[in-house]
Amino acid sequence: MKDKIVVFTGAGVSAESGLKTFRDMGGLWHEHRLEDVASPQGWQRDPATVLRFYNERRRGVLAARPNAAHEAIARLEERYEVVVITQNIDDLHERAGSSNVLHVHGEILKSRSTGLTPPRIYTLKGPTIEIGDLCERGSQLRPDVVWFGEAVRHMDEAEAHFATAAKVLAIGTSLTVYPAAGLVDCAPLSAERVFVSPEVQQVPRHYRFMQGTAVETVPPLVQRWISQ
């Protein structure tokens, strides 16, 4: 059996493909607080503004291209079983060639019904969701992303993958958004654990810190791991 590598990615990886993070937006979007455009309460108050916010972000995702870090992570599958667990809502890992990706915060290129339990999920055929776009049962569609106050996805599966990993690479994440950030603590002590960040910050216990951007740091690290 192949050894398992778990790659845990955050917004810093996609930022190098030109996608702005919430932090880059300064907590505001067109003079709306992010809580107003990324929460169930904001959706109830002004769904049209919420849809415009995500339509703009979705156009950015569709225009972006995977960078060298995404491509290097995909190359790990040449030798290892690889599970990418990402906080990102874009599809750049998949477009780079990664075949097993868990999106714990949802996917911007999908929509979901509202008012139905469980919700119905759809892959979008275009870049926008508009007021009046309904599921087949008459429910308004919204982005299939996790908003503030909503449950994170795939946590049990993600914890199980971390617990059985031979290597863990955490990159592009500030490790401040919980509960997803707590996943790094699920790795076994026997695993090789690497944390990559361009800035010196709090490093998870038992992780080796590598300072640098994803594009600078990940390709040579991946090449070493493939060559071992």
Side-chain angles (χ1 to χ4, degrees):
M1 293 178 61
K2 293 182 178 179
D3 284 343
K4 180 187 291 184
I5 292 182
V6 169
V7 183
F8 183 59
T9 65
V13 176
S14 294
E16 294 194 76
S17 289
L19 298 182
K20 286 187 176 182
T21 67
F22 277 178
R23 183 179 299 175
D24 292 333
M25 296 176 190
L28 295 171
W29 179 78
H30 291 188
E31 309 203 345
H32 294 276
R33 295 180 308 149
L34 286 176
E35 290 80 0
D36 291 335
V37 292
S39 72
Q41 295 78 18
W43 172 256
Q44 291 298 322
R45 285 192 300 268
D46 190 354
T49 294
V50 174
L51 291 179
R52 284 195 295 113
F53 171 73
Y54 283 97
N55 288 346
E56 185 169 311
R57 294 196 71 200
R58 192 177 298 108
R59 291 187 185 99
V61 167
L62 291 170
R65 294 292 178 267
N67 60 50
H70 294 110
E71 292 166 351
I73 291 165
R75 286 201 302 275
L76 283 169
E77 295 187 18
E78 296 173 10
R79 176 167 178 184
Y80 298 94
E81 176 189 355
V82 181
V83 181
V84 178
I85 299 170
T86 185
Q87 296 171 291
N88 299 332
I89 58 176
D90 59 69
D91 67 336
L92 295 180
H93 281 299
E94 288 90 339
R95 279 194 269 158
S98 290
S99 61
N100 190 0
V101 184
L102 296 180
H103 289 267
V104 296
H105 290 158
E107 299 178 66
I108 197 170
L109 298 184
K110 293 182 179 180
S111 65
R112 62 185 293 186
S113 59
T114 53
L116 298 177
T117 304
R120 300 190 175 199
I121 310 299
Y122 306 88
T123 298
L124 290 171
K125 297 179 180 179
T128 65
I129 304 173
E130 307 293 346
I131 295 294
D133 289 348
L134 310 178
C135 76
E136 68 269 21
R137 295 187 62 181
S139 170
Q140 172 65 44
L141 296 176
R142 54 160 275 191
D144 185 36
V145 299
V146 175
W147 288 334
F148 296 114
E150 293 185 327
V152 175
R153 315 271 179 85
H154 310 299
M155 286 296 288
D156 289 345
E157 186 177 356
E159 288 177 5
H161 283 304
F162 265 91
T164 55
K167 299 179 187 292
V168 174
L169 171 60
I171 182 163
T173 174
S174 63
L175 296 179
T176 58
V177 180
Y178 284 83
L183 288 168
V184 294
D185 297 325
C186 297
L189 289 176
S190 59
E192 180 180 357
R193 285 151 290 172
V194 178
F195 179 73
V196 174
S197 174
E199 303 170 354
V200 177
Q201 62 183 70
Q202 185 71 31
V203 178
R205 289 185 64 196
H206 309 297
Y207 279 72
R208 176 164 58 97
F209 177 59
M210 296 181 65
Q211 186 169 7
T213 68
V215 167
E216 293 169 341
T217 309
V218 174
L221 175 63
V222 165
Q223 187 56 49
R224 287 199 299 273
W225 280 355
I226 289 176
S227 300
Q228 285 180 352

